[in-house]
């Protein structure tokens, strides 16, 4: 039994719209079909032995004529496989709302069909021709080495793998992964309940949408306040919140705190939300008195200074045990009375209140006659006056003690000297009795 192999080739030329045919160079083919015909030759019976020798010679010739070309073709096929077409795709990362460029690089391209598909395997472009009606996708480059499309106004729904496919005998494809980064907006600050003096306030900083998750920090007086952080996924984006609790007093009303949101897409910058504490507290009231002495015919103006949060809107002016004068006028927090008389004397009261308490202050009005002489009160505090008087009394007492002590000491010295004089007088008498000169004795006496 002999095996006869016959082969021939069918070549498909490159499409005209990609590469023009070159009559002198026939190397650009998209596929090579090798057809092998096998002929089975069986020997005849022994009665046709005369023809066996001719058939054997024919079989040898067929093997020689076709086996060698078949080996050459197989070798060329292996070389062609080593230089087969290939496609490469590049991954892309873009900010939401930006423009993405999706590129497919070709190697040994021979004009075969190139197809680009989206993550849902919908064909976007077929050999440079739009296949999907979405104007955000545009073909910007189509060459034998590079195919590039752009996608404008990118959203997170566009994220995924984009397929670059090259259709030959064997389909080649690569996936370009599109990643969409979502930077956070300026965060918001929420207050769970009103802050009241002596209590606590709970503040929550919220960044509702980011990808990857944003980082939140609380800052007060350039110091970070640790917060409780939580995250919640919303599809492909993440919501991030940070909560803090602060004790508050009246002095904290209006104090500034800040929430900062940082994200890799912001390039080192931060989105900051400033917030001022709103601490509620009971009001305080103080009447500002007029300067000087008020006489009949003068005008009175009293201003009621009020603090509180919320600030009391209604201010009440009254006169204790009496009604306000007929000429009294109230404008906001100010009470005015023109042409005063002694009938206007009395204690005037200012009151204010809010939801957290009530406060009041009073002023006693004394109206004098126009010709009355009134001693003005010293502005020196009574404590200072008392101290000066005490120092003066102490000084006087010390002077008296020193004077008495000096007087007593001087009197004692005089008595001692007088006693010494009497002794000398006795000696003179004794000398006189002894017969000494009287004048001399008198002299000694005088001494």
């Amino acid at each position: 039994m002999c095996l006869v192999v016959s082969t021939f080739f069918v070549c498909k030329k490159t499409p005209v719209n990609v590469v023009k045919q070159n009559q002198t160079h026939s190397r650009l083919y998209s596929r090579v079909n090798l057809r092998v015909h096998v002929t089975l030759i069986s020997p005849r019976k022994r009665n046709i032995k005369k023809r066996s020798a001719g058939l054997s010679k024919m079989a040898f010739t067929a093997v020689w004529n076709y086996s060698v070309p078949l080996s050459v073709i197989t070798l060329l096929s292996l070389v062609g496989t080593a230089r087969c077409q290939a496609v490469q795709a590049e991954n892309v990362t873009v900010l939401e709302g930006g423009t993405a460029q999706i590129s497919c690089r070709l190697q040994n391209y021979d004009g075969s069909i190139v197809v680009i598909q989206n993550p849902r395997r919908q064909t976007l472009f077929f050999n440079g021709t739009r296949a999907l009606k979405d104007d955000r996708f545009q073909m910007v480059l189509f060459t034998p080495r590079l195919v590039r499309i752009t996608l404008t106004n990118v959203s997170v729904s566009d994220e995924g793998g984009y397929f670059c496919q090259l259709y030959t005998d064997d389909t080649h494809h690569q996936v370009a992964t599109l990643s969409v980064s979502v930077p956070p907006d300026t965060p918001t600050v929420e207050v769970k309940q009103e802050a009241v003096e002596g209590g606590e306030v709970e503040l929550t900083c919220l960044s509702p949408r980011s990808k990857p998750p944003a980082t939140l920090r609380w800052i007060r007086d350039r110091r970070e306040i640790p917060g409780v952080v939580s995250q919640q996924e919303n599809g492909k984006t993440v919501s991030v919140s940070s909560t803090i609790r602060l004790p508050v007093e009246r002095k904290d009303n209006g104090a500034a705190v800040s929430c900062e949101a940082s994200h890799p897409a912001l390039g080192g910058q931060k989105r900051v939300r400033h917030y001022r504490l709103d601490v509620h507290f009971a009001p305080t009231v103080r009447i500002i008195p007029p300067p000087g002495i008020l006489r009949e015919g003068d005008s009175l103006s009293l201003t009621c200074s009020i603090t509180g949060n919320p600030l009391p809107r209604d201010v009440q002016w009254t006169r204790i045990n009496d009604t306000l004068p007929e000429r009294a006028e109230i404008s906001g927090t100010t009470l005015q009375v023109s042409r005063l008389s002694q009938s206007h004397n009395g204690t005037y009261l200012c009151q204010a209140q809010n939801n957290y308490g009530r406060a009041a202050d009073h002023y006693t009005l004394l109206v004098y006659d126009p010709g009355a002489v009134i001693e003005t009160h010293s502005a020196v505090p009574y404590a200072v006056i008392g101290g000066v008087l005490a120092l003066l009394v102490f000084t006087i007492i010390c002077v008296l003690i020193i004077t008495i002590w000096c007087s007593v000491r001087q009197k004692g010295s005089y008595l001692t000297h007088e006693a010494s004089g009497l002794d000398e007088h006795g000696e003179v008498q004794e000398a006189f009795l002894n017969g000494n000169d009287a004048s001399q004795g008198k002299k000694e006496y005088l001494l």
Side-chain angles (χ1 to χ4, degrees), residues 121-436:
R121 302 308 298 266
Q122 295 173 327
T123 300
L124 300 175
F125 292 94
F126 184 90
N127 253 18
T129 303
R130 181 187 300 276
L132 185 65
K133 293 183 179 180
D134 190 341
D135 294 336
R136 296 185 306 149
F137 291 94
Q138 295 293 331
M139 175 68 70
V140 296
L141 190 63
F142 192 99
T143 67
R145 291 188 177 183
L146 181 63
V147 178
R148 176 174 293 166
I149 66 172
T150 59
L151 171 60
T152 58
N153 194 20
V154 178
S155 66
V156 291
S157 61
D158 298 319
E159 195 174 50
Y162 286 77
F163 293 82
C164 297
Q165 298 188 146
L166 181 62
Y167 284 93
T168 60
D169 288 342
D170 296 327
T171 301
H172 301 276
H173 75 273
Q174 287 289 332
V175 178
T177 301
L178 174 63
S179 301
V180 180
S181 181
V182 182
D185 293 331
T186 301
T188 60
V189 175
E190 300 177 353
V191 183
K192 185 175 182 180
Q193 59 185 8
E194 295 179 347
V196 181
E197 178 184 15
E200 285 187 338
V201 60
E202 182 177 310
L203 303 177
T204 299
C205 179
L206 178 63
S207 176
R209 190 171 179 271
S210 61
K211 181 179 177 294
T215 301
L216 302 180
R217 296 172 66 238
W218 282 100
I219 302 295
R220 182 180 182 182
D221 297 332
R222 298 183 181 180
R223 295 182 179 180
E224 182 177 355
I225 305 174
V228 179
V229 179
S230 62
Q231 297 183 2
Q232 182 178 358
E233 294 185 0
N234 298 323
K236 292 186 177 182
T237 61
V238 180
S239 173
V240 184
S241 65
S242 177
T243 302
I244 59 174
R245 296 180 65 90
L246 299 175
V248 290
E249 298 294 340
R250 180 175 306 201
K251 63 181 181 180
D252 296 320
N253 186 44
V257 293
S258 302
C259 178
E260 299 178 349
S262 57
H263 192 270
L266 297 178
Q269 297 181 354
K270 298 177 181 178
R271 302 282 172 85
V272 183
R273 172 69 67 182
H274 299 286
Y275 179 80
R276 292 193 175 275
L277 296 177
D278 185 21
V279 182
H280 292 191
F281 54 90
T284 59
V285 174
R286 184 175 67 90
I287 296 178
I288 301 176
I293 302 300
L294 296 176
R295 302 177 185 273
E296 290 186 347
D298 293 342
S299 296
L300 171 67
S301 178
L302 297 177
T303 300
C304 191
S305 176
I306 303 173
T307 62
N309 189 24
L311 189 66
R313 295 182 178 180
D314 297 330
V315 178
Q316 296 179 356
W317 283 98
T318 58
R319 183 163 58 158
I320 297 177
N321 299 328
D322 204 345
T323 59
L324 291 176
E326 294 180 357
R327 291 189 292 271
E329 296 181 358
I330 299 176
S331 176
T333 60
T334 302
L335 172 67
Q336 293 181 343
V337 181
S338 60
R339 298 172 57 190
L340 289 174
S341 65
Q342 292 186 356
S343 63
H344 296 154
N345 289 341
T347 300
Y348 291 80
L349 191 66
C350 175
Q351 301 181 74
Q353 74 175 51
N354 60 14
N355 295 334
Y356 302 94
R358 171 190 290 267
D361 193 15
H362 67 277
Y363 169 76
T364 301
L365 173 64
L366 293 176
V367 180
Y368 297 92
D369 293 334
V373 178
I374 304 170
E375 296 181 358
T376 58
H377 297 283
S378 175
V380 181
Y382 293 106
V384 177
I385 297 176
V388 173
L389 292 177
L391 180 61
L392 181 61
V393 172
F394 177 76
T395 302
I396 294 174
I397 293 175
C398 291
V399 171
L400 290 176
I401 292 174
I402 293 174
T403 302
I404 294 173
W405 182 78
C406 292
S407 176
V408 172
R409 184 176 181 183
Q410 185 177 3
K411 184 177 181 180
S413 175
Y414 174 77
L415 293 175
T416 303
H417 181 70
E418 185 178 3
S420 175
L422 290 176
D423 291 341
E424 292 178 355
H425 180 67
E427 291 179 354
V428 171
Q429 288 181 349
E430 183 179 358
F432 181 75
L433 291 176
N434 291 333
N436 292 334

Side-chain angles (χ1 to χ4, degrees), residues 48-63:
I48 56 173
K49 290 182 180 181
K50 293 181 179 180
R51 299 179 56 187
S52 61
L55 291 175
S56 298
K57 185 177 180 180
M58 184 182 299
F60 177 79
T61 303
V63 171

